[in-house]
Short mmCIF file of all heavy atoms in Angstrom, two decimals:
data_model
loop_
_atom_site.label_atom_id
_atom_site.label_comp_id
_atom_site.label_asym_id
_atom_site.label_seq_id
_atom_site.Cartn_x
_atom_site.Cartn_y
_atom_site.Cartn_z
N LEU A 371 16.31 2.02 25.38
CA LEU A 371 16.30 2.72 26.65
C LEU A 371 17.31 2.19 27.68
O LEU A 371 17.82 2.95 28.52
CB LEU A 371 14.91 2.63 27.28
CG LEU A 371 14.52 3.54 28.47
CD1 LEU A 371 14.60 4.96 28.06
CD2 LEU A 371 13.12 3.23 28.95
N VAL A 372 17.58 0.90 27.64
CA VAL A 372 18.50 0.32 28.62
C VAL A 372 19.85 -0.03 28.02
O VAL A 372 20.68 -0.56 28.74
CB VAL A 372 17.88 -1.02 29.23
CG1 VAL A 372 16.52 -0.76 29.79
CG2 VAL A 372 17.79 -2.10 28.15
N LEU A 373 20.03 0.28 26.74
CA LEU A 373 21.24 -0.10 26.07
C LEU A 373 22.54 0.35 26.69
O LEU A 373 23.41 -0.41 27.04
CB LEU A 373 21.19 0.34 24.61
CG LEU A 373 22.29 -0.21 23.66
CD1 LEU A 373 22.30 -1.76 23.63
CD2 LEU A 373 22.08 0.31 22.24
N PRO A 374 22.68 1.68 26.96
CA PRO A 374 23.92 2.11 27.63
C PRO A 374 23.77 1.92 29.16
O PRO A 374 23.28 2.75 29.83
CB PRO A 374 23.96 3.58 27.31
CG PRO A 374 22.76 3.90 26.46
CD PRO A 374 21.80 2.77 26.66
N ASN A 375 24.22 0.76 29.63
CA ASN A 375 23.98 0.44 31.03
C ASN A 375 24.91 1.15 31.97
O ASN A 375 25.72 0.65 32.69
CB ASN A 375 24.20 -1.09 31.15
CG ASN A 375 23.67 -1.66 32.49
OD1 ASN A 375 22.81 -1.07 33.05
ND2 ASN A 375 24.22 -2.79 32.89
N ASP A 376 24.69 2.54 31.98
CA ASP A 376 25.57 3.41 32.76
C ASP A 376 24.81 4.43 33.54
O ASP A 376 25.36 5.32 34.17
CB ASP A 376 26.64 4.06 31.87
CG ASP A 376 25.99 4.88 30.77
OD1 ASP A 376 24.73 4.95 30.72
OD2 ASP A 376 26.72 5.36 29.90
N GLY A 377 23.44 4.30 33.55
CA GLY A 377 22.65 5.28 34.24
C GLY A 377 22.48 6.65 33.60
O GLY A 377 21.93 7.52 34.14
N ALA A 378 23.10 6.78 32.39
CA ALA A 378 23.01 8.08 31.73
C ALA A 378 21.68 8.24 31.01
O ALA A 378 20.89 7.31 30.95
CB ALA A 378 24.19 8.22 30.75
N GLN A 379 21.46 9.46 30.42
CA GLN A 379 20.26 9.68 29.67
C GLN A 379 20.37 9.26 28.20
O GLN A 379 19.41 9.49 27.44
CB GLN A 379 19.91 11.21 29.70
CG GLN A 379 19.62 11.64 31.09
CD GLN A 379 19.32 13.21 31.14
OE1 GLN A 379 19.72 13.88 30.21
NE2 GLN A 379 18.59 13.64 32.14
N THR A 380 21.47 8.63 27.84
CA THR A 380 21.67 8.29 26.41
C THR A 380 20.60 7.43 25.89
O THR A 380 20.12 7.63 24.73
CB THR A 380 23.01 7.57 26.28
OG1 THR A 380 24.03 8.27 26.97
CG2 THR A 380 23.40 7.40 24.81
N GLY A 381 20.12 6.43 26.67
CA GLY A 381 19.09 5.55 26.17
C GLY A 381 17.79 6.33 25.84
O GLY A 381 17.17 6.07 24.77
N ALA A 382 17.36 7.18 26.74
CA ALA A 382 16.15 7.97 26.51
C ALA A 382 16.33 8.86 25.27
O ALA A 382 15.41 9.02 24.51
CB ALA A 382 15.84 8.81 27.74
N LEU A 383 17.49 9.42 25.08
CA LEU A 383 17.73 10.31 23.97
C LEU A 383 17.68 9.48 22.65
O LEU A 383 17.20 9.98 21.62
CB LEU A 383 19.09 10.98 24.07
CG LEU A 383 19.14 12.02 25.21
CD1 LEU A 383 20.56 12.51 25.42
CD2 LEU A 383 18.22 13.24 24.84
N LEU A 384 18.20 8.25 22.73
CA LEU A 384 18.18 7.38 21.50
C LEU A 384 16.75 7.06 21.14
O LEU A 384 16.36 7.03 19.93
CB LEU A 384 18.99 6.09 21.74
CG LEU A 384 20.47 6.22 21.75
CD1 LEU A 384 21.10 4.91 22.23
CD2 LEU A 384 21.01 6.58 20.37
N VAL A 385 15.91 6.80 22.13
CA VAL A 385 14.48 6.53 21.88
C VAL A 385 13.80 7.74 21.30
O VAL A 385 13.06 7.62 20.26
CB VAL A 385 13.75 6.09 23.16
CG1 VAL A 385 12.26 6.02 22.95
CG2 VAL A 385 14.26 4.74 23.66
N LEU A 386 14.03 8.91 21.85
CA LEU A 386 13.44 10.14 21.29
C LEU A 386 13.89 10.41 19.87
O LEU A 386 13.17 10.90 19.02
CB LEU A 386 13.76 11.29 22.22
CG LEU A 386 13.04 11.40 23.55
CD1 LEU A 386 13.47 12.61 24.33
CD2 LEU A 386 11.53 11.46 23.29
N PHE A 387 15.21 10.12 19.64
CA PHE A 387 15.77 10.32 18.29
C PHE A 387 15.07 9.47 17.33
O PHE A 387 14.63 9.89 16.20
CB PHE A 387 17.27 10.08 18.32
CG PHE A 387 17.94 10.25 16.94
CD1 PHE A 387 18.38 11.45 16.58
CD2 PHE A 387 18.20 9.18 16.15
CE1 PHE A 387 19.00 11.64 15.36
CE2 PHE A 387 18.82 9.33 14.92
CZ PHE A 387 19.26 10.53 14.53
N LEU A 388 14.91 8.19 17.62
CA LEU A 388 14.28 7.18 16.76
C LEU A 388 12.81 7.55 16.52
O LEU A 388 12.34 7.60 15.41
CB LEU A 388 14.38 5.78 17.35
CG LEU A 388 13.50 4.71 16.71
CD1 LEU A 388 13.95 4.49 15.26
CD2 LEU A 388 13.52 3.44 17.54
N VAL A 389 12.02 7.75 17.62
CA VAL A 389 10.65 7.98 17.52
C VAL A 389 10.32 9.35 16.84
O VAL A 389 9.50 9.45 15.98
CB VAL A 389 9.91 7.92 18.88
CG1 VAL A 389 8.44 8.28 18.81
CG2 VAL A 389 10.10 6.53 19.48
N GLY A 390 11.10 10.34 17.21
CA GLY A 390 10.95 11.65 16.63
C GLY A 390 11.19 11.67 15.13
O GLY A 390 10.47 12.23 14.37
N LEU A 391 12.27 11.00 14.73
CA LEU A 391 12.57 10.93 13.30
C LEU A 391 11.64 10.11 12.47
O LEU A 391 11.34 10.35 11.38
CB LEU A 391 14.01 10.48 13.07
CG LEU A 391 15.18 11.45 13.31
CD1 LEU A 391 16.20 11.39 12.17
CD2 LEU A 391 14.74 12.80 13.57
N THR A 392 11.16 8.96 13.14
CA THR A 392 10.13 8.18 12.46
C THR A 392 8.86 8.96 12.29
O THR A 392 8.23 8.91 11.19
CB THR A 392 9.83 6.89 13.35
OG1 THR A 392 11.08 6.16 13.48
CG2 THR A 392 8.83 6.01 12.65
N GLU A 393 8.49 9.74 13.28
CA GLU A 393 7.27 10.59 13.20
C GLU A 393 7.52 11.65 12.14
O GLU A 393 6.65 11.91 11.25
CB GLU A 393 7.02 11.18 14.56
CG GLU A 393 6.11 12.44 14.54
CD GLU A 393 6.89 13.74 14.71
OE1 GLU A 393 7.84 13.77 15.46
OE2 GLU A 393 6.46 14.73 14.08
N PHE A 394 8.68 12.28 12.13
CA PHE A 394 8.94 13.36 11.14
C PHE A 394 9.02 12.75 9.75
O PHE A 394 8.49 13.38 8.80
CB PHE A 394 10.32 13.97 11.47
CG PHE A 394 10.70 15.08 10.49
CD1 PHE A 394 10.25 16.36 10.62
CD2 PHE A 394 11.60 14.79 9.45
CE1 PHE A 394 10.59 17.35 9.71
CE2 PHE A 394 11.99 15.82 8.52
CZ PHE A 394 11.46 17.04 8.70
N ASN A 395 9.57 11.55 9.60
CA ASN A 395 9.60 10.94 8.24
C ASN A 395 8.20 10.65 7.74
O ASN A 395 7.94 10.87 6.57
CB ASN A 395 10.39 9.63 8.33
CG ASN A 395 10.46 8.86 7.05
OD1 ASN A 395 11.02 9.37 6.07
ND2 ASN A 395 9.90 7.69 7.04
N ASP A 396 7.31 10.20 8.63
CA ASP A 396 5.93 9.92 8.24
C ASP A 396 5.24 11.18 7.70
O ASP A 396 4.61 11.16 6.65
CB ASP A 396 5.19 9.32 9.45
CG ASP A 396 3.69 9.09 9.16
OD1 ASP A 396 3.45 8.10 8.46
OD2 ASP A 396 2.86 9.86 9.61
N ILE A 397 5.38 12.29 8.42
CA ILE A 397 4.71 13.54 8.08
C ILE A 397 5.41 14.11 6.78
O ILE A 397 4.74 14.59 5.91
CB ILE A 397 4.79 14.56 9.20
CG1 ILE A 397 3.94 14.04 10.40
CG2 ILE A 397 4.25 15.92 8.76
CD1 ILE A 397 3.99 14.85 11.63
N ALA A 398 6.77 14.06 6.76
CA ALA A 398 7.43 14.61 5.60
C ALA A 398 7.14 13.88 4.29
O ALA A 398 6.92 14.49 3.23
CB ALA A 398 8.96 14.56 5.84
N GLN A 399 7.03 12.56 4.36
CA GLN A 399 6.71 11.79 3.14
C GLN A 399 5.26 12.07 2.73
O GLN A 399 5.04 12.21 1.50
CB GLN A 399 6.85 10.28 3.42
CG GLN A 399 8.29 9.82 3.54
CD GLN A 399 8.47 8.36 3.38
OE1 GLN A 399 7.59 7.63 2.91
NE2 GLN A 399 9.62 7.81 3.76
N TYR A 400 4.38 12.29 3.70
CA TYR A 400 3.05 12.65 3.32
C TYR A 400 2.97 14.04 2.63
O TYR A 400 2.35 14.20 1.61
CB TYR A 400 2.14 12.65 4.60
CG TYR A 400 0.67 13.01 4.30
CD1 TYR A 400 -0.23 11.99 3.90
CD2 TYR A 400 0.26 14.29 4.33
CE1 TYR A 400 -1.52 12.27 3.66
CE2 TYR A 400 -1.12 14.58 4.06
CZ TYR A 400 -1.96 13.53 3.69
OH TYR A 400 -3.25 13.86 3.44
N LEU A 401 3.69 15.05 3.21
CA LEU A 401 3.68 16.35 2.61
C LEU A 401 4.32 16.46 1.28
O LEU A 401 3.77 17.02 0.39
CB LEU A 401 4.37 17.32 3.60
CG LEU A 401 3.69 17.69 4.93
CD1 LEU A 401 4.56 18.50 5.85
CD2 LEU A 401 2.37 18.42 4.63
N TRP A 402 5.48 15.78 1.14
CA TRP A 402 6.15 15.81 -0.21
C TRP A 402 5.29 15.08 -1.24
O TRP A 402 5.17 15.55 -2.36
CB TRP A 402 7.50 15.12 -0.10
CG TRP A 402 8.60 15.97 0.48
CD1 TRP A 402 9.13 15.86 1.73
CD2 TRP A 402 9.27 17.05 -0.13
NE1 TRP A 402 10.08 16.85 1.90
CE2 TRP A 402 10.20 17.54 0.78
CE3 TRP A 402 9.18 17.60 -1.39
CZ2 TRP A 402 11.05 18.63 0.50
CZ3 TRP A 402 10.03 18.69 -1.72
CH2 TRP A 402 10.96 19.20 -0.73
N GLY A 403 4.67 13.96 -0.81
CA GLY A 403 3.85 13.22 -1.75
C GLY A 403 2.59 13.95 -2.13
O GLY A 403 2.19 13.97 -3.26
#
Side-chain angles (χ1 to χ4, degrees):
L371 191 62
V372 304
L373 189 57
N375 194 22
D376 55 7
Q379 295 179 339
T380 310
L383 291 170
L384 287 171
V385 172
L386 287 178
F387 180 83
L388 168 66
V389 176
L391 281 228
T392 301
E393 163 254 326
F394 179 82
N395 179 62
D396 177 75
I397 295 175
Q399 289 197 15
Y400 181 88
L401 287 173
W402 282 104

